[in-house]
Amino acid sequence: MLSGSKVHLRLLKKEDVSILFKLHSEEKVKKYNIIIDSMDNKVDLRKALSIVNEDDNLIGFVTYKEKEYYSRTYCIGITIGSEYWGRSYGADSIKTLLRYLFKKLNAMKVELYVASYNIRAIKCYKKCGFIEEYIKRYSSYIDREYIDIIIMGIIRERYNSYLKCEDGKYV
C-alpha cells in the first residue's frame, strides 16, 4: 500500500471492480475519460491501483504503464468518482503515484494525456509539477466532436526540485 496525506493507493481487490466500473461509468466522469489507442496494436497492460480515502471509501483508481520496455518513461491516468471531486484527492493520488514511480521504479519521466477542456485536471497536474509538452490537435472523437489532447510530463529533475518547494510553488 502507498500512502499519501489524504489517500492510500492499494492493489485492486476483486470486490473493487464493480464499484470502480460504476464510478467510471458516471456521465460526469465519462466526459473526461479519454482513451488513447496504442499505435503498435500491442496489448496495453496497465497496472491499476485503487484509491481509498481517509474514511476508507473506494473513490477511484490510478493506472500506470511503462511506455516501452525498460524506457523508464511511464504513462499514468486517474479516475475519481464525481462526488469526491474538489477535495484534493486527485492531487494527493498523483503525488503518491509519482513518489512510487520516481523513487521505487526509478522513472526518468512520467507523462499523461488530458482533454484540453478538462481545466480542473490540468490545474491539478500543474499543481503536481507537470508541464504542458504539446497538443495533439483533433486527436480524439468524443460526443460527436473532435477534441485536442494535451500531453503533459514531468521529468526526474523537475520532480526532485519540486520536492524542495513549498506548497507546490517553487521558492
Side-chain angles (χ1 to χ4, degrees):
M1 183 178 317
L2 306 172
S3 295
S5 60
K6 299 185 83 163
V7 300
H8 299 290
L9 306 181
R10 64 164 169 74
L11 295 175
L12 267 73
K13 297 178 181 176
K14 191 175 184 178
E15 58 268 21
D16 293 350
V17 175
S18 62
I19 297 168
L20 294 176
F21 181 78
K22 183 180 172 189
L23 292 174
H24 186 271
S25 300
E26 285 182 55
E27 284 305 314
K28 285 183 181 179
V29 173
K30 283 193 323 188
K31 176 181 175 184
Y32 297 110
N33 281 340
I34 55 171
I35 305 295
I36 304 297
D37 292 329
S38 177
M39 299 299 266
D40 55 11
N41 293 324
K42 291 181 184 172
V43 176
D44 186 17
L45 295 176
R46 292 183 157 270
K47 295 182 179 154
L49 300 169
S50 294
I51 304 170
V52 179
N53 72 2
E54 63 272 284
D55 296 327
D56 209 29
N57 293 320
L58 179 61
I59 64 168
F61 61 97
V62 292
T63 61
Y64 66 96
K65 178 187 183 294
E66 193 168 17
K67 283 186 73 168
E68 295 155 5
Y69 195 59
Y70 286 118
S71 69
R72 292 177 30 202
T73 296
Y74 289 84
C75 188
I76 66 170
I78 184 169
T79 298
I80 293 180
S82 64
E83 74 176 277
Y84 300 103
W85 292 356
R87 300 186 197 178
S88 299
Y89 291 135
D92 193 40
S93 299
I94 295 293
K95 288 176 183 178
T96 303
L97 183 58
L98 287 176
R99 185 175 66 241
Y100 173 72
L101 294 174
F102 282 115
K103 299 296 184 186
K104 297 292 185 193
L105 297 186
N106 200 25
M108 290 304 294
K109 180 180 180 180
V110 177
E111 63 184 30
L112 56 84
Y113 301 80
V114 60
S116 60
Y117 56 77
N118 195 346
I119 304 305
R120 180 192 310 260
I122 293 167
K123 285 181 183 178
C124 173
Y125 300 142
K126 286 181 178 180
K127 182 178 172 182
C128 295
F130 284 84
I131 61 169
E132 294 181 23
E133 293 185 338
Y134 56 97
I135 297 173
K136 291 178 76 170
R137 307 268 307 154
Y138 282 48
S139 181
S140 289
Y141 190 73
I142 298 175
D143 290 335
R144 290 176 273 148
E145 79 177 286
Y146 286 96
I147 63 163
D148 297 343
I149 301 297
I150 299 173
I151 290 83
M152 300 181 76
I154 182 170
I155 58 173
R156 177 190 290 279
E157 290 80 11
R158 180 168 172 85
Y159 174 77
N160 288 336
S161 67
Y162 207 72
L163 291 176
K164 299 173 188 162
C165 65
E166 297 176 15
D167 298 329
K169 298 184 175 111
Y170 290 102
V171 265

